[in-house]
Amino acid sequence: MKALKWTGGILLIIIAVALLVSSISAQSDLEGLLKRLDAQNVVDLNPKMLADRDRVLESHLDNDRDRTLRNLDRYLERHGDLLLLEGTHALELTAFRSGPIVSSVGVLLMAIGAALLATVISGKAAVRKAALYAVGIVLLYVCVYVVEQIAGTSSMLVTVLKKGAIYALLAVSMNLLNGFTGLFSLGQAGFMLIGAYTYAMFTIPVESRGQVYQYYAGGLIQFQMPVILAIILAGLVAAFFAYLIGLPVLRLKSDYLAIATLGFAEIIRAVFQYDGLGPITNGSNLLRRFTTFNSALFPFIAVGICILLIILLINSTYGRAFKAIRDDEVAAEAMGINLPQHKSMAFVISCFFAGVGGALLAMYQTTVQASAFKASMTYEILLIVVLGGMGSVSGSVIASFLFIAASEWWLRFLDAETVIGTFEVPLLRSGFRMVVFSVIVMLVVLFYQKGIMGDRELSLDMFKRNGKEKRGGRNA
Amino acid sequence: MPDHVLELKNLTMQFGGVVAVNDLSMNIDKGEIVALIGPNGAGKTTAFNCVTGVYAPTNGQVLFGGKVIVSNHPSGKMAKMYLGADKDKFHQVAAPSPDKITRMGIARTFQNIRLFKTQTVFDNVLIATHLHRTSNLFTAVLRLNSSEEKSMREKAMHLLDIVGLADAKDEKATSLPYGKQRRLEIARALATDPTLLLLDEPAAGMNPQETDDLSEFIVELRNRFDLTIFLIEHHMALVMDISDRIYVIDFGKLIASGLPQEVRDDPEVITAYLGVDED
């Protein structure tokens, strides 16, 4: 009986995923779908059919959904008997017709159904919890997708979501080192730069290299890597540099470590602009034309996987060792924790994800230039970590979306000179945004020192025990 | 004759011109509870720190189970400044870091409690099981080590049961009363699977009732875990009660050693340390 219900739940999930995937692919690939409907290539032989189909595609290209659907209906009505309208084709067609929102909601309902089923059959609290988290994550991704479909990929909201997601990864990776292991490093921008450059250098199409590396005869690298591999390589290269730098630098404590890593980031920035390395790094010129992403789902999925890995790490026995080092190095060592080994591990892992974040940032920006990776970028991320709470992953994630939204969007109006009637609003001019932003940050740090989350995490238990819980657990 | 569990040979620790531990030689046999006592600043904790690898001694050796684990002789600048004896006796140099010494089987507690402050009682003990892990980073992150994780948790819970803190397992370590924090430190040390347990003033800050409980508890631990215990303590009642033998140091130098009764009646100890004849 139990097995039956499990199978049911799993089937629902599989159907949900299949539906979502087919819905997404149907949206972007109507032409392919129409070709698949027509397995015998009758359209090419029948001019009338061809005209009807072209009308559908034309209106689709114009982004006129209503007209597309009308034309599609007419096409199917007139020539339906010649087309394959069963099985997966029918499913794809339905997905296209019902549109992204309806199919996303459908997916969501199915996910909830699957979770409820799992909850009902298994009395285990852990399973119930995992099911709820799974629903939460599905909900989040569906929301992102729907928002993107409604607001458009290049709208401000989606831009903030994309950048916010990438900054969330950067902040969480910095938090892993500064908040969870207690190593105060300021080298984030340097490792991001390494990641961004590694990614960019290896994904520029061979035919574009002549233009990008115009001063260096097309550069040395003459091949293109797949995106996923290049992103992982970006992390690995950053991690490798972190390992080398960590050997001498991790012997230093607190302030000295911060200064040394800050210095390293500045040196890296200079090295990447060095003319002698031009055939590889393009000197101080832009790197461009590498593969980027359109949909916000890409950074959300990539960042989601990375943050999931970091959370798994933090809650593993190694993560506990990191936290022990943060709390008391002497005691940690007396408990048999090898300090140099574990510090190096934390540093390398943090920098791996900084490198991956740098690669995603490069994709988001579509161009990369070493001079942009200044120390101020590290401070931005440090600010997010502090605002969110040192030692809280969810705090970092929340804070990065808030930070990006505020700095890119909500506070933009402060930069515009505004005239109401004949009254010119004082102070509002270019640059004022940063002043206000700094004041907000100061207020937060003065009156809300622990940040948004302190060292707690956002979880289901938090809502359940709200109020009952004594706030005694937050002493310094 | 079997090897001593712990043996110190001419251990000397000199900081600049100050000799904190001076030519200290002693030994502890299996199953014994041995106390190191002396007035404030006599060098007791420094001796502990030399054994556990926090400091590399200036001169002398530490043997654990008959094997030399720490060994040093004055060299460099210290060779000229050195004020102690037996300067050229030990040529071997060995100074393992504290984590390596813990892995050999020597665990300790701290005089000024050093718990992991932001962690729960349970996690404090759980962390100390990390050193015997067989999982690597990848298996741990990908949760391929669930059976090991489970046994780690069971062991931590078992130890909390023994020290009587099972009910407080989800509380923050620093929210416990002082006496319980000391017990938690002991549980944490036991989680590293030691054969020799070093207790640095375990009764400091405890009231008489708690101290009495602690005496029984230490003896019980020794029997239950087949431990050898080496402790520093100011609390004479406790020391006299549970120690098999006592070493007394003053200004870093050993001034007396022997059975509790002998030490108590030693005139030199009385003048140096006890002052009055009863606690």
Side-chain angles (χ1 to χ4, degrees):
Chain A
M1 197 59 199
K2 212 169 182 180
L4 193 72
K5 284 177 184 167
W6 269 113
T7 332
I10 290 165
L11 265 179
L12 265 179
I13 293 174
I14 292 172
I15 293 170
V17 171
L19 201 73
L20 186 64
V21 169
S22 66
S23 148
I24 292 171
S25 65
Q27 293 309 316
S28 55
D29 188 27
L30 182 63
E31 193 180 354
L33 173 59
L34 289 177
K35 282 213 175 104
R36 260 171 282 142
L37 280 179
D38 168 32
Q40 286 109 27
N41 289 320
V42 262
V43 175
D44 294 332
L45 304 171
N46 185 338
K48 212 173 154 215
M49 260 177 105
L50 191 64
D52 280 344
R53 195 184 69 174
D54 284 349
R55 206 171 297 144
V56 180
L57 290 176
E58 201 181 305
S59 47
H60 182 60
L61 279 177
D62 289 349
N63 264 331
D64 187 339
R65 208 177 142 72
D66 292 336
R67 197 151 57 89
T68 313
L69 285 177
R70 265 201 312 277
N71 288 334
L72 184 66
D73 280 344
R74 194 180 311 148
Y75 175 64
L76 294 176
E77 200 177 299
R78 285 185 187 168
H79 316 288
D81 44 345
L82 292 174
L83 299 172
L84 293 168
L85 291 174
E86 280 154 37
T88 54
H89 307 298
L91 190 70
E92 276 181 87
L93 206 56
T94 321
F96 179 77
R97 281 201 176 149
S98 50
I101 298 159
V102 175
S103 41
S104 304
V105 170
V107 168
L108 179 66
L109 287 177
M110 276 193 222
I112 291 173
L116 286 179
L117 252 174
T119 313
V120 171
I121 38 176
S122 126
K124 275 189 198 157
V127 174
R128 212 175 308 155
K129 227 173 171 181
L132 282 171
Y133 279 119
V135 170
I137 291 167
V138 171
L139 178 69
L140 175 76
Y141 280 83
V142 169
C143 281
V144 171
Y145 180 60
V146 170
V147 163
E148 196 178 17
Q149 294 300 324
I150 295 172
T153 322
S154 49
S155 65
M156 197 35 126
L157 179 59
V158 176
T159 308
V160 165
L161 284 179
K162 287 178 192 169
K163 197 172 178 190
I166 296 165
Y167 267 65
L169 174 59
L170 294 168
V172 171
S173 81
M174 194 170 191
N175 207 343
L176 175 65
L177 198 59
N178 293 20
F180 285 97
T181 320
L183 296 172
F184 193 57
S185 156
L186 291 178
Q188 194 79 349
F191 296 105
M192 284 160 61
L193 185 149
I194 294 175
Y197 261 75
T198 308
Y199 173 78
M201 286 179 324
F202 287 107
T203 55
I204 297 171
V206 177
E207 58 271 21
S208 303
R209 285 186 186 267
Q211 283 164 300
V212 175
Y213 288 90
Q214 51 182 330
Y215 303 110
Y216 301 100
L220 275 180
I221 304 163
Q222 287 301 336
F223 60 91
Q224 187 187 3
M225 280 174 81
V227 173
I228 303 295
L229 282 185
I231 291 177
I232 294 171
L233 183 71
L236 289 177
V237 173
F240 176 69
F241 272 86
Y243 175 73
L244 291 185
I245 291 145
L247 290 177
V249 161
L250 287 176
R251 291 160 191 267
L252 304 171
K253 302 230 171 191
S254 60
D255 324 6
Y256 301 103
L257 175 64
I259 293 165
T261 47
L262 185 66
F264 158 75
E266 294 296 303
I267 292 167
I268 280 287
R269 186 157 62 90
V271 167
F272 272 72
Q273 294 183 66
Y274 170 52
D275 199 49
L277 287 175
I280 301 166
T281 64
N282 209 12
S284 54
N285 308 301
L286 277 176
L287 281 175
R288 58 205 162 86
R289 306 213 170 180
F290 47 82
T291 320
T292 59
F293 56 76
N294 255 327
S295 163
L297 279 180
F298 182 83
F300 263 80
I301 290 170
V303 167
I305 293 171
C306 291
I307 292 183
L308 179 72
L309 285 174
I310 295 177
I311 292 173
L312 285 172
L313 169 70
I314 288 170
N315 293 323
S316 76
T317 177
Y318 286 88
R320 292 194 293 266
F322 293 166
K323 286 184 261 184
I325 292 172
R326 169 193 67 188
D327 283 356
D328 195 325
E329 275 193 19
V330 175
E333 203 171 20
M335 292 309 121
I337 294 169
N338 185 334
L339 289 186
Q341 184 198 353
H342 282 79
K343 283 183 177 179
S344 166
M345 209 183 264
F347 192 52
V348 166
I349 295 168
S350 164
C351 292
F352 173 85
F353 288 110
V356 171
L360 293 172
L361 193 65
M363 297 177 91
Y364 164 79
Q365 290 173 337
T366 68
T367 59
V368 182
Q369 196 165 23
S371 58
F373 290 83
K374 295 202 179 81
S376 61
M377 202 176 239
T378 305
Y379 298 143
E380 265 182 5
I381 297 162
L382 181 65
L383 190 69
I384 292 173
V385 172
V386 173
L387 285 182
M390 299 280 264
S392 168
V393 172
S394 39
S396 289
V397 173
I398 295 168
S400 55
F401 281 105
L402 288 179
F403 177 88
I404 296 297
S407 72
E408 299 278 323
W409 189 12
W410 298 336
L411 297 181
R412 277 274 174 200
F413 74 94
L414 294 169
D415 271 6
E417 288 178 30
T418 313
V419 182
I420 302 170
T422 54
F423 173 68
E424 189 179 326
V425 183
L427 292 173
L428 294 191
R429 70 198 53 153
S430 175
F432 187 60
R433 177 172 57 121
M434 289 323 286
V435 177
V436 173
F437 203 82
S438 313
V439 172
I440 293 176
V441 167
M442 261 193 266
L443 289 178
V444 170
V445 172
L446 277 176
F447 298 108
Y448 214 62
Q449 285 157 356
K450 285 273 172 185
I452 299 170
M453 299 296 295
D455 58 1
R456 295 165 306 168
E457 293 293 350
L458 197 63
S459 69
L460 293 170
D461 302 343
M462 232 171 108
F463 299 107
K464 274 186 213 154
R465 283 186 300 178
N466 226 353
K468 252 195 274 174
E469 196 178 12
K470 48 185 179 182
R471 292 172 67 85
R474 291 184 72 191
N475 42 349
Chain B
M1 191 187 110
D3 290 319
H4 301 297
V5 169
L6 185 74
E7 187 175 3
L8 309 188
K9 280 187 181 168
N10 309 96
L11 197 73
T12 304
M13 183 76 223
Q14 182 174 342
F15 298 105
V18 179
V19 187
V21 176
N22 195 347
D23 200 25
L24 176 65
S25 295
M26 56 183 288
N27 57 66
I28 302 174
D29 288 320
K30 186 161 169 44
E32 274 190 311
I33 296 179
V34 172
L36 179 65
I37 63 171
N40 282 328
K44 306 180 295 291
T45 299
T46 306
F48 256 36
N49 284 340
C50 288
V51 173
T52 54
V54 177
Y55 301 140
T58 317
N59 190 35
Q61 282 187 333
V62 178
L63 284 77
F64 180 56
K67 273 197 336 212
V68 176
I69 57 168
V70 174
S71 178
N72 203 2
H73 57 87
S75 60
K77 228 161 102 188
M78 192 46 86
K80 285 186 207 134
M81 291 166 62
Y82 186 61
L83 300 170
D86 304 304
K87 193 171 170 175
D88 300 314
K89 194 167 167 185
F90 307 103
H91 297 289
Q92 194 181 350
V93 174
S97 55
D99 60 292
K100 295 201 178 64
I101 290 190
T102 307
R103 205 158 299 157
M104 293 171 195
I106 302 180
R108 70 172 296 178
T109 65
F110 294 91
Q111 182 180 358
N112 45 344
I113 299 175
R114 281 178 173 275
L115 290 169
F116 302 120
K117 294 188 182 67
T118 64
Q119 320 270 330
T120 62
V121 168
F122 181 68
D123 280 346
N124 261 279
V125 182
L126 193 55
I127 285 164
T129 62
H130 179 68
L131 84 165
H132 294 301
R133 68 191 177 276
T134 53
S135 56
N136 61 35
L137 189 62
F138 292 99
T139 53
V141 168
L142 299 176
R143 297 291 187 270
L144 302 172
N145 63 337
S146 53
S147 65
E148 182 184 66
E149 180 80 16
K150 200 174 153 214
S151 68
M152 279 177 170
R153 284 172 187 278
E154 276 167 4
K155 181 171 163 193
M157 202 58 234
H158 176 64
L159 287 169
L160 282 180
D161 252 337
I162 290 172
V163 300
L165 288 172
D167 296 336
K169 80 182 183 76
D170 291 323
E171 277 176 46
K172 210 159 247 201
T174 43
S175 70
L176 292 178
Y178 208 69
K180 287 188 175 174
Q181 290 195 22
R182 291 240 174 250
R183 280 176 176 246
L184 178 56
E185 265 213 327
I186 293 174
R188 189 179 65 171
L190 289 173
T192 64
D193 291 337
T195 48
L196 173 66
L197 182 61
L198 274 60
L199 302 174
D200 198 345
E201 299 203 19
M206 286 190 177
N207 62 33
Q209 178 58 44
E210 285 175 323
T211 311
D212 276 354
D213 293 346
L214 184 71
S215 313
E216 278 173 36
F217 179 59
I218 291 174
V219 175
E220 188 200 321
L221 283 184
R222 189 249 324 250
N223 300 338
R224 184 164 190 159
F225 291 96
D226 203 15
L227 284 172
T228 305
I229 292 175
F230 182 23
L231 71 138
I232 294 175
E233 191 46 73
H234 273 303
H235 209 290
M236 276 311 121
L238 179 107
V239 172
M240 295 298 162
D241 187 20
I242 63 172
S243 305
D244 296 315
R245 284 185 301 129
I246 296 176
Y247 286 86
V248 190
I249 59 173
D250 193 18
F251 296 111
K253 261 186 146 25
L254 192 66
I255 57 171
S257 67
L259 301 173
Q261 202 51 48
E262 295 168 13
V263 169
R264 189 202 290 252
D265 299 337
D266 189 308
E268 203 175 345
V269 175
I270 294 170
T271 47
Y273 182 65
L274 294 174
V276 287
D277 54 351
E278 285 296 332
D279 180 61

